[in-house]
Amino acid sequence: MDLKKHGPTIALVFTMLVMLSYSIEWFRVAVGSAMNVLFGPFIDVFGVPFFVMILVLSSITGLYSSLVQKYTIDYEKMQETQERARAFQREFREAQLSGDEKKIKKLQGKQERMMQDQLDISRQQFTPMAIILLLTVPIFFWLLFRLPPLGAPATITNGIVLPFIGTVGLSDFAFWIVPAWILWYMICSLAISQVIRKSLNIGGL
């Protein structure tokens, strides 16, 4: 099998299977229980608050996600392709406004190649996505495994103080249907990832 050709398809199928695993409770609990051997002592023995564990794990997630993307995605080619696409769109728009049918026809022939380049860039992102999911899913399974029950009293170990919201339990909804722990994880991960990506000089996806 040509991995270079079929790699993105394999990565996409794998990604779908990993996401599907969230709905398999016994598998989720088994993985969470296994990960608890590694992360559990930080809470049970050293008394690290759960929101601090989320901060640490989201930082680790941001680090390896950025590193995987840096070394699996050709950012130079991506930027070149994006710049050519912007230049093509400007040129095509100008030809349409001027009514230059000859130039429009010429550009339409070029459009297919541009679309193929953009498709190749999109396919290139499936492999790092699969790798990142493989590393991240066990962490999420452990977080779900250790989360306090919904409605449990907010304490220093299982609660958090959020701006404009106040003290809430990590399993409680921060707003609408978004649990507090998910909101906190997203805030930490996005903030830390931006710092890491800036230091590694890699662009956004």
Side-chain angles (χ1 to χ4, degrees):
M1 179 183 291
D2 188 345
L3 290 179
K4 185 174 181 181
K5 180 179 180 181
H6 298 287
T9 302
I10 296 172
L12 178 59
V13 172
F14 176 76
T15 299
M16 294 174 66
L17 290 174
V18 170
M19 295 177 69
L20 180 64
S21 68
Y22 273 93
S23 63
I24 305 175
E25 184 178 0
W26 68 265
F27 181 75
R28 189 175 67 243
V29 171
V31 174
S33 179
M35 295 297 292
N36 194 53
V37 175
L38 178 63
F39 296 133
F42 288 98
I43 296 176
D44 300 329
V45 178
F46 300 107
V48 177
F50 199 65
F51 76 90
V52 174
M53 287 299 299
I54 293 177
L55 171 62
V56 172
L57 292 175
S58 64
S59 302
I60 295 173
T61 302
L63 177 60
Y64 67 65
S65 296
S66 300
L67 289 173
V68 167
Q69 290 166 357
K70 178 177 176 63
Y71 293 108
T72 57
I73 296 177
D74 188 342
Y75 278 95
E76 185 176 344
K77 181 179 179 180
M78 177 185 290
Q79 291 169 355
E80 290 176 355
T81 300
Q82 291 173 342
E83 182 56 39
R84 287 200 303 270
R86 285 192 290 268
F88 173 83
Q89 291 296 335
R90 288 195 299 268
E91 191 176 2
F92 192 78
R93 181 61 177 167
E94 291 172 359
Q96 286 181 317
L97 292 173
S98 64
D100 190 338
E101 295 296 332
K102 184 177 180 180
K103 189 173 184 179
I104 290 175
K105 188 174 181 180
K106 181 180 178 181
L107 289 172
Q108 285 175 335
K110 184 180 178 182
Q111 189 174 29
E112 185 176 345
R113 294 193 299 273
M114 293 294 304
M115 292 178 65
Q116 183 60 48
D117 288 342
Q118 291 179 319
L119 181 60
D120 290 341
I121 291 297
S122 297
R123 286 175 175 171
Q124 195 181 79
Q125 297 177 16
F126 286 129
T127 299
M129 184 188 302
I131 296 172
I132 292 168
L133 273 176
L134 178 63
L135 297 173
T136 303
V137 163
I139 292 176
F140 265 77
F141 283 176
W142 178 76
L143 291 173
L144 291 170
F145 181 77
R146 288 302 302 251
L147 273 173
L150 182 64
T155 66
I156 190 172
T157 56
N158 64 15
I160 189 172
V161 179
L162 295 173
F164 310 109
I165 299 175
T167 303
V168 295
L170 287 166
S171 296
D172 296 336
F173 297 114
F175 69 91
W176 195 36
I177 60 172
V178 181
W181 76 274
I182 287 286
L183 178 62
W184 176 238
Y185 187 97
M186 290 173 59
I187 291 172
C188 295
S189 183
L190 288 172
I192 294 168
S193 293
Q194 288 303 310
V195 175
I196 294 173
R197 297 173 77 84
K198 186 70 175 178
S199 63
L200 293 176
N201 192 30
I202 58 178
L205 290 177

